Amino acid sequence: MKIQVLGPLSAEVNGGSIVPTAGKPRQILALLALYPGRVMPVQTLMEEIWGTELPQSALTTLQTYILQLRRRLGTAMGPGAPGNAKDVLATRHGGYLLQIPPDSVDVHAYDSLVAEGQSAFETGNDERAAELLRKALGLWNGQALVDVRVGPILEIEVMRLEESRLVTIERRIDADLRLGRHAEVIAELTELIARHPQHEGLHSQAMVALYRSGRQATALDVYRRLRGRLTDELGVEPSPQLQRLHQAMLTVDPALDVMAGPRRGSTFDLYAA
């Protein structure tokens, strides 16, 4: 079985899709896929589908959805498959689980690559970090579970995945900046700060990339526009490290020309206290 959740939901067995067209069974499959090999309690599955207002027939209806998923799974497995659909989509005391290897799901490969990339970043192996993090991000094919109606449980999972994606993008850009790829990341950062207009980390990266590409005035304008949004919308000033970064650009601090500082930290922390 091969399952993808980093984008539209996809689940294939022997090349055949087992993703149901109905919304609620899709939710069940997505939630089980996020935790392969782990029992998902019946109560959690029902909460995902119906929230806190459970219909009287909730348990019976959930069992019907599980049966529908097993039928699709059994059809895709074929008559000659070892075991049967009940072995793969198994019933356990109080819940259900997908008995498949974790690496059958794309999010597992993503998490592994991110962990390796982060480790390489922290040890200063920027080339390896950029390569691994770029590979991890390449597994994404749009917003997580973009074609699945999400309830309260999946909503949290999607938010977690999207936040992880953004952090990974930021860390990969950090590695690229430490490798001197300033001009190469400007277009990407321009799009990112437009989509995340209050994200200080991305703005600091855009400022540094522009400054090191000989575009000091544009870098300063990025700060000016961010400060305007923060003060107008939230009533706060930019963080101290971003203010110090701005001041360093005004005074043409030579330290800004160093690709990787002695602490080999993030771009946002170049001027941390």
Side-chain angles (χ1 to χ4, degrees):
M1 183 181 292
K2 181 180 179 183
I3 300 179
Q4 296 173 304
V5 298
L6 302 178
L9 176 63
S10 171
E12 294 184 351
V13 176
N14 297 328
S17 174
I18 65 165
V19 178
T21 55
K24 289 181 173 61
R26 288 169 76 90
Q27 287 175 265
I28 294 170
L29 177 60
L31 193 50
L32 292 170
L34 286 169
Y35 295 96
R38 289 174 54 181
V39 175
M40 186 60 58
V42 165
Q43 190 63 37
T44 301
L45 290 167
M46 291 195 299
E47 182 181 348
E48 165 60 26
I49 296 171
W50 292 289
T52 56
E53 302 294 329
L54 300 181
Q56 288 187 346
S57 61
L59 182 58
T60 302
T61 305
L62 174 63
Q63 292 169 342
T64 300
Y65 294 151
I66 294 293
L67 180 61
Q68 291 173 1
L69 287 171
R70 282 181 177 149
R71 284 175 178 164
R72 297 185 69 91
L73 183 56
T75 300
M77 291 173 67
N84 56 48
K86 283 188 176 181
D87 296 324
V88 179
L89 178 45
T91 302
R92 291 292 182 269
H93 179 68
Y96 300 94
L97 78 156
L98 275 178
Q99 293 203 103
I100 57 176
D103 58 9
S104 300
V105 187
D106 60 354
V107 72
H108 176 82
Y110 165 78
D111 287 337
S112 297
L113 286 166
V114 168
E116 289 183 62
Q118 179 65 29
S119 178
F121 182 85
E122 291 172 354
T123 57
N125 190 345
D126 300 328
E127 192 72 56
R128 180 67 173 157
E131 176 188 355
L132 288 166
L133 297 176
R134 189 170 281 108
K135 188 174 180 181
L137 293 165
L139 295 175
W140 285 75
N141 188 33
Q143 181 182 330
L145 297 173
V146 66
D147 59 346
V148 176
R149 172 191 172 276
V150 297
I153 311 300
L154 278 178
E155 183 179 23
I156 293 171
E157 295 295 336
V158 168
M159 287 174 59
R160 177 183 65 83
L161 288 170
E162 290 294 335
E163 181 62 26
S164 171
R165 183 188 192 185
L166 185 58
V167 169
T168 302
I169 290 171
E170 189 177 359
R171 184 63 70 243
R172 195 224 80 226
I173 293 173
D174 275 332
D176 281 336
L177 288 173
R178 296 196 322 198
L179 289 164
R181 298 169 180 164
H182 313 120
E184 292 92 325
V185 299
I186 288 175
E188 180 182 11
L189 282 165
T190 299
E191 178 184 355
L192 284 167
I193 62 175
R195 289 169 51 195
H196 304 278
Q198 296 177 354
H199 194 297
E200 291 196 350
L202 295 172
H203 281 76
S204 70
Q205 291 177 324
M207 290 168 65
V208 169
L210 288 162
Y211 181 90
R212 290 178 178 167
S213 300
R215 298 170 62 181
Q216 180 187 21
T218 309
L220 293 171
D221 189 55
V222 168
Y223 177 86
R224 179 189 62 78
R225 285 184 280 114
L226 172 63
R227 181 178 181 274
R229 279 190 294 270
L230 292 177
T231 55
D232 292 345
E233 297 173 16
L234 302 177
V236 298
E237 291 286 339
S239 62
Q241 53 261 57
L242 201 61
Q243 292 185 46
R244 286 191 285 268
L245 175 62
H246 175 247
Q247 187 61 34
M249 290 183 175
L250 288 172
T251 59
V252 195
D253 187 345
L256 271 173
D257 296 324
V258 179
M259 292 182 193
R263 288 181 293 174
R264 306 192 68 80
S266 69
T267 305
F268 184 58
D269 291 329
L270 279 174
Y271 286 87

